[in-house]
Amino acid sequence: MIQLFRFCSGKITSSFPKLSFKVKDFSILKAEKPTALKIDDIKTLLKMHQLGATWKLQDDNSLYKEVKFSNFKEAFSFMTQVAIFSEQINHHPEWENLFNTIKIKLITDDVNNLTVKDIFLAYAIDNIAMNVQVKSAESTNDTRILEIAKIAEAWNFNFDQFHRMIETDSKQI
């Protein structure tokens, strides 16, 4: 069974035809013991949240990405926002910074594999990077932080789209 996390008030259990998904409230994510994802579950989550084009799956147990910004200020703003977000979900990237380039590796050390926290952090990182680049284009002095609620809203939108796609496909079978 794949565990899909969704921001909501309370726990919800839902079964899709042919696939069983357990939907949990992200408020419990911080305290939960990490569970390694199976490779098929990783690929499903990467596809659901359109991460396959931006992240590379390494050795079937970690995600890797390089992000380039137009200058050091953007790169540092990005790292600051990711750090703040990471603290909120109690999960942190392995990364290095060289001027305007950030190299990021995501893995949950406790299980030496990917967990839902890594997938969610990858999704958040993509959203934060896009936000930094857009805000930089609008104003070099804008340092607003993309809130966790906005990332959760987008995550839920992808979840709902995927749910509708599964339901539609099952009706056609």
Side-chain angles (χ1 to χ4, degrees):
M1 178 190 320
I2 186 172
Q3 293 183 342
L4 293 182
F5 288 79
R6 180 176 180 174
F7 280 81
C8 56
S9 57
K11 296 179 184 179
I12 299 172
T13 303
S14 173
S15 294
F16 298 155
K18 297 192 176 189
L19 296 173
S20 182
F21 295 90
K22 189 175 182 182
V23 182
K24 295 184 177 181
D25 186 332
F26 263 112
S27 66
I28 64 170
L29 182 61
K30 284 179 84 166
E32 189 167 298
K33 183 180 178 198
T35 304
L37 293 171
K38 294 181 176 125
I39 189 64
D40 290 341
D41 297 343
I42 293 166
K43 289 178 180 177
T44 298
L45 287 168
L46 292 176
K47 182 178 178 181
M48 178 188 302
H49 295 290
Q50 295 117 25
L51 298 170
T54 58
W55 289 86
K56 291 185 174 100
L57 184 59
Q58 293 186 318
D59 301 324
D60 290 345
N61 76 339
S62 67
L63 291 175
Y64 177 82
K65 175 182 184 134
E66 284 188 26
V67 186
K68 290 190 178 197
F69 295 93
S70 56
N71 56 49
F72 178 75
K73 181 181 176 184
E74 279 185 16
F76 197 81
S77 174
F78 165 78
M79 290 181 73
T80 301
Q81 291 182 47
V82 171
I84 291 168
F85 184 86
S86 295
E87 282 296 307
Q88 292 179 39
I89 65 168
N90 192 28
H91 195 62
H92 308 87
E94 296 176 17
W95 57 11
E96 62 182 78
N97 165 244
L98 181 61
F99 183 59
N100 67 335
T101 303
I102 315 292
K103 295 178 181 179
I104 307 165
K105 179 181 177 184
L106 299 178
I107 187 169
T108 301
D109 293 327
D110 293 347
V111 295
N112 194 34
N113 206 334
L114 291 167
T115 65
V116 72
K117 284 186 175 185
D118 298 298
I119 305 298
F120 186 60
L121 185 54
Y123 183 76
I125 286 170
D126 279 2
N127 280 272
I128 292 167
M130 185 172 49
N131 185 59
V132 167
Q133 291 163 338
V134 166
K135 295 301 178 197
S136 181
E138 291 174 0
S139 166
T140 56
N141 295 322
D142 192 344
T143 57
R144 285 180 283 174
I145 294 173
L146 188 62
E147 296 174 14
I148 194 169
K150 292 191 186 298
I151 293 171
E153 184 179 314
W155 174 274
N156 285 343
F157 178 77
N158 288 341
F159 179 89
D160 291 339
Q161 279 188 315
F162 191 77
H163 185 195
R164 282 191 293 279
M165 181 182 76
I166 298 271
E167 285 180 337
T168 302
D169 288 348
S170 68
K171 289 176 185 173
Q172 295 174 1
I173 295 175

